[in-house]
DNA sequence: CGAGCCGGTAACTAAACAGTTACTTGATGG
DNA sequence: CCATCAAGTAACTGTTTAGTTACCGGCTCG
């Protein structure tokens, strides 16, 4: 039933400048807008992003954008929610409790670093949202449980490590997560100013690999007995 | 526009009589604009900052702003340069080489954290500049030597620590600095989203103090033998 | 078969914005 | 004592922007 390609083209249009009929695909249009918006907001922030630019990137127009998402702010919030759901979903699939505590933490650190590296738009969106003091995120209800799971799982792993005597008793799950995230976030999100003032390209593979090892090393030595 | 006759009421002159002359103080006006611009750019980013808002905050008007700084971009660059000069100047005054290596590094970590805490506008400006891939910072020549000094001094302290056998041989000055800056920057610049998703106010004194101790602990354990 | 719904387009509008211009006031040195 | 210039004000301008409206045309179902 999937009509791929052209069905009978009986359409000899009379007027419109665009004679080519776009095949209708609401789901695709919606996804294209969301994707285009993600890139536009990530590159230019909330204040700098242009609604016209998003429509153009999505290969559609403003009318559709307002039709599906309401207005610029609601679209931005959807982009942000989507970004959070993506990283937390991938994170869950790790199941850091399946390995030894030490390996579990190391795995989480590696995953986080590599996810940040492959999703610069996520870091950028976080930066924008924080510039505005989480003005839009705070309105979103559906995001909290997403995170309580992360802390819960991390807490279990730490407890097990403490019982086994490999981790110090004061190790705190939130602190461990913040440590991992800090080291990845700052290096990447501030790579441009850092590369400029220190005169080294931080994105060179050699430096990236060194920093990856550094993150794991710092995280583990800070909680090991 | 303004037609001749009609000398009755209502002749709205284009130029209202200046009732009182503000005392002239070019240096003060200049400083007021720079200060107002710092706040406006920090709060709204480059795209969100409004020239009119800066003029109003400074208690002056756009004409003066353009007179002293050329245009919005040049003003922004001056704000950014000023911010970097401020932190590096304060940092230099620490003289971290005067203490034992361990104390020196701890001192640098404490200073950095506290400076970030007291100067949220600096963090915000860094975020904005990185969103734009250091577009303006790269144009600034006068900022590189400012930073080579920092790395040089840090390198000396680490060398001394290695000689004394208290630091590991692989400790790298840039990595140490990035570690310290990461842990402070992320916690503060992302405090709004983090507080929201984890349901804790990260700015509460208890949590701030705990994180301060954490930064020093993490930094030192990562390089100690 | 035709009414009306739905995905889609382009031109429009009111407001906001960066940057300019026309003008005023007062201090100073010749 | 006035010519000149710098500090300062507010209205203006051309452009950009978020959001709207008028319209198009194919598809579906009664």
């Amino acid at each position: 039933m999937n009509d791929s390609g052209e069905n009978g083209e009986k359409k000899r249009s009379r007027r419109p400048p665009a004679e080519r009929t776009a095949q209708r695909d609401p789901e695709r249009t919606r996804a294209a807008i969301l994707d285009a918006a993600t890139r536009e907001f990530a590159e230019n922030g909330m204040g700098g992003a242009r609604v016209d630019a998003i429509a153009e990137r999505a290969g559609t127009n403003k009318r559709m954008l307002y039709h599906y998402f309401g207005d610029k702010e609601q679209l931005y919030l959807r982009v942000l929610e989507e970004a959070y759901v993506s990283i937390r979903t991938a994170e869950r699939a790790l199941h850091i409790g399946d390995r030894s505590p030490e390996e579990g933490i190391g795995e989480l650190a590696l995953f986080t670093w590599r996810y940040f590296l492959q999703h610069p738009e996520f870091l950028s969106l976080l930066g924008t949202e924080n510039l505005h003091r989480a003005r839009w995120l705070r309105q979103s209800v559906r995001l909290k449980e997403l995170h309580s799971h992360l802390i819960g799982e991390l807490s279990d792993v730490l407890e097990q490590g403490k019982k086994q005597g490999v981790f110090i008793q004061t190790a705190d799950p939130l602190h461990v997560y913040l440590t991992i995230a800090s080291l990845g976030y700052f290096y990447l999100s501030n790579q441009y100013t850092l590369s400029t003032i220190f005169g080294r390209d931080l994105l060179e593979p050699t430096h990236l690999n060194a920093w990856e090892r550094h993150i794991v090393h710092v995280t583990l030595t800070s909680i090991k007995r």
Side-chain angles (χ1 to χ4, degrees), chain A:
Chain A
M1 76 183 259
N2 178 7
D3 48 346
S4 58
E6 312 263 329
N7 37 9
E9 49 173 277
K10 52 181 313 179
K11 160 209 73 84
R12 193 63 288 195
S13 67
R14 17 161 74 161
R15 271 307 306 275
E19 54 256 33
R20 173 181 62 87
T21 323
Q23 16 207 10
R24 301 186 170 196
D25 191 342
E27 212 36 65
R28 194 158 93 146
T29 300
R30 212 189 128 89
I33 292 172
L34 206 59
D35 183 63
T38 302
R39 283 178 286 133
E40 178 74 10
F41 282 124
E43 286 171 23
N44 303 102
M46 180 62 181
R50 297 291 160 245
V51 172
D52 289 277
I54 294 171
E56 197 185 331
R57 288 176 105 136
T60 179
N61 56 76
K62 283 196 289 186
R63 178 70 220 286
M64 290 296 96
L65 189 153
Y66 283 99
H67 179 244
Y68 287 123
F69 296 97
D71 62 10
K72 189 184 179 183
E73 303 200 8
Q74 287 178 67
L75 174 58
Y76 169 78
L77 181 55
R78 294 306 301 268
V79 164
L80 190 66
E81 287 181 341
E82 208 55 49
Y84 266 114
V85 169
S86 290
I87 185 171
R88 296 286 95 95
T89 303
E91 210 168 59
R92 248 178 217 246
L94 277 182
H95 293 110
I96 57 172
D98 292 358
R99 296 162 182 75
S100 75
E102 211 171 321
E103 282 173 336
I105 300 298
E107 208 60 44
L108 179 63
L110 275 181
F111 164 82
T112 303
W113 163 250
R114 288 174 183 166
Y115 189 93
F116 284 2
L117 190 56
Q118 280 153 31
H119 296 83
E121 79 285 352
F122 177 62
L123 302 187
S124 184
L125 290 170
L126 284 192
T128 289
E129 184 61 10
N130 277 291
L131 176 67
H132 297 287
R133 312 196 169 197
R135 178 173 156 190
W136 290 282
L137 184 63
R138 242 181 290 178
Q139 294 169 16
S140 171
V141 195
R142 56 186 276 226
L143 283 179
K144 276 182 192 170
E145 62 199 83
L146 215 59
H147 294 91
S148 59
H149 176 267
L150 164 63
I151 293 298
E153 204 174 5
L154 189 45
S155 189
D156 290 347
V157 173
L158 288 179
E159 280 312 313
Q160 218 193 330
K162 290 175 190 173
K163 240 179 241 161
Q164 295 178 13
V166 293
F167 291 159
I168 57 178
Q169 287 298 325
T170 53
D172 173 74
L174 184 57
H175 280 195
V176 170
Y177 180 72
L178 292 180
T179 304
I180 293 172
S182 295
L183 294 168
Y185 183 92
F186 181 75
Y187 187 98
L188 293 171
S189 88
N190 286 41
Q191 60 176 281
Y192 305 101
T193 53
L194 292 171
S195 291
T196 302
I197 65 182
F198 292 124
R200 297 200 211 177
D201 179 11
L202 294 190
L203 231 56
E204 261 183 26
T206 325
H207 294 135
L208 286 179
N209 289 331
W211 191 250
E212 176 175 290
R213 274 179 274 117
H214 182 73
I215 293 178
V216 176
H217 168 251
V218 169
T219 306
L220 288 175
T221 55
S222 77
I223 55 172
K224 275 208 285 200
R225 229 167 160 39

